[in-house]
Amino acid sequence: MLRKNDIIHLNITSATAEGSGVGKTEDGMAVFVPLSAVGDALEVRVLKVKKTYAFGKIEKILTPAPSRITPDCPHFSRCGGCVWRHISYEEECRIKWQKVADAVRRIGGIEAEIKPIIGSERTLRYRNKAQLPLGVSPDGSLQMGFYALHSHRIIDCADCALQPEVFARVMQITRDFLAQTDNDIYNEATGKGRLRHLYIRYGEVTDELMVCYVVNGNGLKQEDLLVKMLREGLPNLKTVVVNSNREKTNVILGSKNRTVYGSGFIEDELCGLRFKISPFSFWQVNRAQAERLYQKAREYAALGGNEVLLDLYCGTGTIGLTMARDCRKLIGVEIIPDAVRDAENNAAVNSICNARFLCADAPQAAAQLEKEGVRPDVVILDPPRKGCGEDLVKTIAKMNPQRVVYVSCDPATLARDLKYFAENGYETNEVTPVDMFPRTAHVETVVMMTRV
Ligand code: SAH
């Protein structure tokens, strides 16, 4: 029987998609070891013992796994952002593919073909957005960076390997500005203090930079100086925005924006279309991979020019709009009013006239459209992590589309929903995992279903 603080020998034989290696003890108990790799022979200290499994930490690597690499970020293992910087990217892709395959087969009971994962060409500096919390350490020094895993403790960073280099410059200028002025930093525990988050966005194609400060109050002291410092240090600065958030909440952005420099938004391109990105707009953080994901979704939708396309959970309309020219009519459904306004605007900017967007709950809107007799030929859905659920699947089946394309950020809820689709007359033909977020625990999937 294992006990806390035992030192054991362990061979790591599998990995969880959340970033732990797993090995089995002689009597068959699974031990989860963070930062280990499949193929490692380890000396492990047991930290916690449950009924059927345990947690441990590496004391010593006896034989390293072939996939092991030296982590290329000094914050790795403390910062909660990345979980896979200690293994090769090939191995990370294998683990992510396996997670999707296991979920689809075991939870969904589906025997469809799982295509190779579409890996990302860039595994470094692929993000175009950062939301950096600020705080003050017990010794009084400024902290700006990322939360530790499962915590709100800030790991102070000067740079992040997933972000464009220019974000480190914005961070440094912000530190310099704070050192010269008496803007105090927000304290999560007390709800007092001013500056909460630094929020940065970058348009890769347009080379436009947005810097946004989330403030507990109306603004910062000496905003003129701040804008001057940012403009001097950042030639591609397009706009500076102050967002007010006076709520005691984990939600980063408040409801009010005030533009202190420039237009209040940036623009970027995706699949040949132009999009306006304001601080509130949803925009894929890995642009290059989003294009490949949408390309795959488009291939699965197989539009011929005359179809009605229903895009559920459409955000700012991106997926549907990139296919609007291939169909007769596009209907998008999204619950957040600002996103719907962005979607309408995005359609107009790109001279797309066959799209309309509804601001509503997707299951409710679908039920209403079904009652009105709307019969889409193809349905695309891209729900948040909790998936779409059985009611929506039933409504979609009643609408009787030829094809359904499901884009998912959670393999488990995807697999559950695929099962509902199977029970309602839709066969899963093909599943393609897409790695939108290299080095992190997340994996995206796109699925093609057809009516049987
Ligand atoms: N398809 C978009 C956005 C997907 S993110 C893209 O690729 O850019 C999921 C979207 O679903 C978010 O915009 C979120 O606001 C929206 N959403 C969440 N719950 C919803 C619901 N019940 N009804 C409709 N939309 C919802």
Side-chain angles (χ1 to χ4, degrees):
M1 197 45 206
L2 282 188
R3 271 170 317 194
K4 189 174 167 175
N5 282 325
D6 281 354
I7 303 282
I8 57 170
H9 272 104
L10 200 69
N11 293 321
I12 300 299
T13 50
S14 63
T16 71
E18 288 68 41
S20 267
V22 191
K24 288 223 164 131
T25 60
E26 273 166 23
D27 33 10
M29 186 183 243
V31 185
F32 294 84
V33 186
L35 304 171
S36 65
V38 175
D40 274 348
L42 303 173
E43 214 171 84
V44 168
R45 179 181 294 273
V46 176
L47 295 180
K48 203 174 187 179
V49 184
K50 300 279 203 180
K51 242 196 190 126
T52 53
Y53 58 94
F55 296 97
K57 77 178 236 260
I58 300 177
E59 281 286 305
K60 199 170 164 193
I61 300 176
L62 303 171
T63 316
S67 64
R68 264 194 183 272
I69 57 168
T70 308
D72 52 359
C73 170
H75 310 292
F76 178 62
S77 84
R78 294 188 304 130
C79 170
C82 295
V83 298
W84 297 126
R85 299 205 89 84
H86 63 301
I87 58 170
S88 67
Y89 186 53
E90 291 68 36
E91 174 68 354
E92 176 186 339
C93 283
R94 186 193 66 78
I95 293 167
K96 288 179 170 176
W97 183 91
Q98 195 68 52
K99 178 180 185 178
V100 173
D102 286 351
V104 168
R105 287 175 191 151
R106 290 188 197 150
I107 304 173
I110 305 247
E111 277 310 320
E113 183 179 2
I114 318 285
K115 289 283 184 184
I117 185 166
I118 300 179
S120 179
E121 262 161 40
R122 276 196 296 177
T123 57
L124 290 168
R125 309 213 175 270
Y126 61 80
R127 287 185 61 96
N128 56 34
K129 168 181 166 180
Q131 290 179 314
L132 304 142
L134 285 99
V136 177
S137 72
D139 70 8
S141 59
L142 175 69
Q143 290 178 307
M144 182 196 302
F146 298 91
Y147 292 125
L149 199 61
H150 307 308
S151 140
H152 268 217
R153 192 163 47 82
I154 298 169
I155 306 293
D156 190 60
C157 303
D159 186 18
C160 161
L162 301 186
Q163 293 175 6
E165 266 137 5
V166 67
F167 286 17
R169 288 220 298 283
V170 180
M171 291 164 78
Q172 187 55 51
I173 293 167
T174 303
R175 285 177 200 269
D176 294 345
F177 167 73
L178 291 170
Q180 288 176 35
T181 58
D182 71 343
N183 284 290
D184 58 348
I185 304 301
Y186 183 70
N187 180 324
E188 260 193 335
T190 62
K192 298 226 156 51
R194 198 177 293 242
L195 184 55
R196 300 171 70 128
H197 273 83
L198 167 59
Y199 170 21
I200 317 169
R201 286 188 127 171
Y202 176 62
E204 269 169 61
V205 176
T206 54
D207 190 34
E208 293 180 352
L209 186 68
M210 170 195 294
V211 181
C212 177
Y213 293 89
V214 184
V215 168
N216 176 33
N218 285 325
L220 291 164
K221 293 181 188 168
Q222 296 187 259
E223 282 172 3
D224 289 351
L225 174 65
L226 175 61
V227 169
K228 182 168 170 280
M229 290 172 74
L230 290 167
R231 287 184 66 185
E232 275 169 12
L234 305 160
N236 54 353
L237 181 73
K238 180 82 193 297
T239 190
V240 181
V241 177
V242 169
N243 173 273
S244 295
N245 185 357
R246 293 162 179 267
E247 303 294 316
K248 226 181 147 186
T249 164
N250 282 345
V251 178
I252 295 175
L253 292 178
S255 57
K256 226 175 71 195
N257 287 329
R258 182 167 54 84
T259 304
V260 294
Y261 170 71
S263 53
F265 62 89
I266 56 171
E267 290 185 67
D268 207 6
E269 284 179 19
L270 198 71
C271 300
L273 299 184
R274 191 99 177 162
F275 293 95
K276 177 179 158 185
I277 307 165
S278 70
F280 294 133
S281 311
F282 178 86
W283 182 248
Q284 294 279 357
V285 299
N286 183 344
R287 205 192 65 88
Q289 282 305 90
E291 284 196 334
R292 295 166 116 184
L293 173 73
Y294 291 1
Q295 194 53 45
K296 197 37 104 179
R298 181 181 183 158
E299 182 191 315
Y300 285 170
L303 296 164
N306 203 28
E307 293 88 348
V308 175
L309 174 64
L310 177 59
D311 181 8
L312 299 171
Y313 306 91
C314 71
T316 51
T318 39
I319 299 186
L321 288 172
T322 61
M323 300 182 199
R325 296 209 169 97
D326 307 326
C327 65
R328 179 161 53 85
K329 199 166 125 189
L330 164 67
I331 306 168
V333 178
E334 161 62 43
I335 205 161
I336 296 187
D338 275 307
V340 174
R341 262 194 297 278
D342 281 347
E344 282 163 350
N345 187 57
N346 288 335
V349 165
N350 292 288
S351 314
I352 291 170
C353 308
N354 59 342
R356 75 177 166 118
F357 295 94
L358 310 174
C359 185
D361 170 59
Q364 277 178 18
Q368 182 62 32
L369 291 168
E370 194 279 324
K371 261 195 220 132
E372 289 167 12
V374 175
R375 294 290 174 266
D377 302 280
V378 179
V379 173
I380 290 181
L381 63 162
D382 183 7
R385 268 182 217 167
K386 68 173 187 186
C388 73
E390 192 170 14
D391 288 348
L392 179 54
V393 172
K394 286 194 162 138
T395 308
I396 292 173
K398 272 195 213 157
M399 291 178 166
N400 206 23
Q402 186 74 38
R403 277 182 300 284
V404 177
V405 180
Y406 193 137
V407 178
S408 158
C409 55
D410 186 318
T413 58
L414 167 70
R416 178 206 64 199
D417 290 341
L418 292 185
K419 197 169 173 185
Y420 294 144
F421 272 107
E423 289 160 5
N424 286 278
Y426 283 82
E427 178 188 19
T428 298
N429 309 103
E430 212 174 280
V431 176
T432 302
V434 184
D435 188 22
M436 305 284 281
F437 312 105
R439 297 348 218 148
T440 76
H442 303 284
V443 59
E444 200 93 1
T445 312
V446 53
V447 176
M448 176 172 71
M449 287 175 265
T450 47
R451 195 176 57 207
V452 279

